[in-house]
Amino acid sequence: MIKVGVLGAKGRMGSLVGQTVRSQADLELTAEVDVGDSREPLAGCDVIVDFTSPAAVMENLAWCVQAGRNMVVGTSGFDGPRLAEAAKLAGGTAGATGEPHPSRPSVLVVPNFSVGAVLMMRFAEQAARFFDSAEVVELHHAGKVDAPSGTAARTAAMISDARARAGLGASPDATTTQLDGARGAVVDGVHVHSVRLAGLVAHQEVLLGGHGETLTIRHDSLDRASFMPGVLMAVRGIAALRPGLTVGLEGLLGLV
Ligand SMILES: NC(=O)c1ccc[n+]([C@@H]2O[C@H](COP(=O)([O-])OP(=O)(O)OC[C@H]3O[C@@H](n4cnc5c(N)ncnc54)[C@H](O)[C@@H]3O)[C@@H](O)[C@H]2O)c1
């Protein structure tokens, strides 16, 4: 039986994780912690799942590593500097040369738990080198506090790396005048546009353009339930990961 704790247990994602864990025969929901609750019940967990906020997650991460607990992080906001900070706290990167500290737990930061979204990112990375232009449009519910989404930022970084490996420069863009934000945010040289709209859940389009053709790769999370198979995979798989920081579900999905 794997003992699972949830940080952000009263939130949209945290409450669904609690409900999902309760429905699994091999998992036991041992601790549910939200703002104002003591973290102590988490000390008895094998794995702690964090769906809190970008402002809260680093303190939670530090606590979990200190307590020697494996941690699955779904909270967004993990840009390059934050991932570096997380790696430092976790005692190294699990896949890096040089062993991470063996007595440290594993920390798995997952920008997107949806299998379809992970595949969308992978397909975008594969396609990026064949097109002159690449832009990302992400669309989310109006309650999302951060922009762009972690998934969009990661997609942009993956596209940017693939373009650099192929020797491609910047996407063509003749814009000389613009209103602030009209061309979106630029993440690693890739323009990322964020839409916030009541009624949406989580959606993303990767737009690729070349000689007389375009390719659009679109993924839609229609319900938060789409994240649960990935969360369960992470909860069950984290004990087999090397100590230190791992980013993304790709390894557990057999995509690396
Ligand atoms: N990785 C993914 O696939 C994925 C999917 C959906 C959402 N997210 C991210 O997950 C996070 C949570 O999303 P949500 O929609 O559930 O948000 P939410 O606002 O509904 O829930 C967040 C919960 O965390 C609690 N919280 C805040 N600080 C805390 C702390 N220090 N300790 C314990 N609890 C704390 C809040 O009280 C709230 O109940 C966001 O960053 C969101 O972007 C990631």
Side-chain angles (χ1 to χ4, degrees):
M1 190 72 91
I2 303 171
K3 292 184 175 167
V4 183
V6 180
L7 273 159
K10 291 183 182 155
R12 286 171 287 234
M13 289 296 290
S15 55
L16 186 57
V17 170
Q19 201 181 311
T20 305
V21 166
R22 267 197 204 93
S23 71
Q24 304 296 305
D26 61 327
L27 306 180
E28 181 184 312
L29 186 63
T30 308
E32 291 177 276
V33 174
D34 207 282
V35 168
D37 299 332
S38 159
R39 291 195 188 102
E40 278 322 305
L42 297 169
C45 297
D46 300 310
V47 51
I48 296 162
V49 182
D50 186 299
F51 276 106
T52 57
S53 77
V57 65
M58 294 311 282
E59 210 186 305
N60 288 338
L61 200 156
W63 187 93
C64 288
V65 170
Q66 192 65 35
R69 303 296 91 192
N70 287 338
M71 185 184 194
V72 172
V73 181
T75 303
S76 51
F78 281 83
D79 54 10
R82 179 159 279 205
L83 280 175
E85 197 187 336
K88 205 167 156 196
L89 282 172
T93 302
T97 13
E99 286 296 309
H101 200 292
S103 67
R104 294 277 179 142
S106 300
V107 175
L108 175 59
V109 172
V110 182
N112 200 314
F113 283 100
S114 142
V115 174
V118 173
L119 290 172
M120 175 257 300
M121 286 189 262
R122 180 52 62 98
F123 297 156
E125 182 184 39
Q126 285 176 337
R129 70 188 169 99
F130 298 107
F131 292 88
D132 296 334
S133 301
E135 302 212 3
V136 178
V137 183
E138 57 97 339
L139 311 91
H140 280 82
H141 60 90
K144 185 166 176 60
V145 294
D146 54 315
S149 71
T151 301
R154 184 138 193 258
T155 309
M158 289 166 76
I159 289 171
S160 175
D161 283 352
R163 287 176 64 91
R165 284 197 300 275
L168 292 177
S171 293
D173 183 356
T175 309
T176 50
T177 61
Q178 61 175 307
L179 287 180
D180 253 7
R183 296 285 294 116
V186 180
V187 181
D188 293 340
V190 177
H191 288 260
V192 179
H193 310 268
S194 298
V195 177
R196 295 293 172 265
L197 205 67
L200 292 179
V201 180
H203 317 259
Q204 181 168 302
E205 283 187 359
V206 178
L207 310 173
L208 300 148
H211 298 285
E213 63 173 347
T214 65
L215 172 66
T216 302
I217 304 168
R218 178 170 175 119
H219 175 260
D220 297 277
S221 280
L222 304 173
D223 189 290
R224 288 186 181 84
S226 65
F227 300 119
M228 293 304 114
V231 171
L232 292 175
M233 192 180 294
V235 163
R236 293 187 174 116
I238 193 167
L241 295 178
R242 294 174 65 213
L245 177 72
T246 300
V247 181
L249 270 191
E250 285 85 345
L252 292 175
L253 288 168
L255 292 173
V256 287

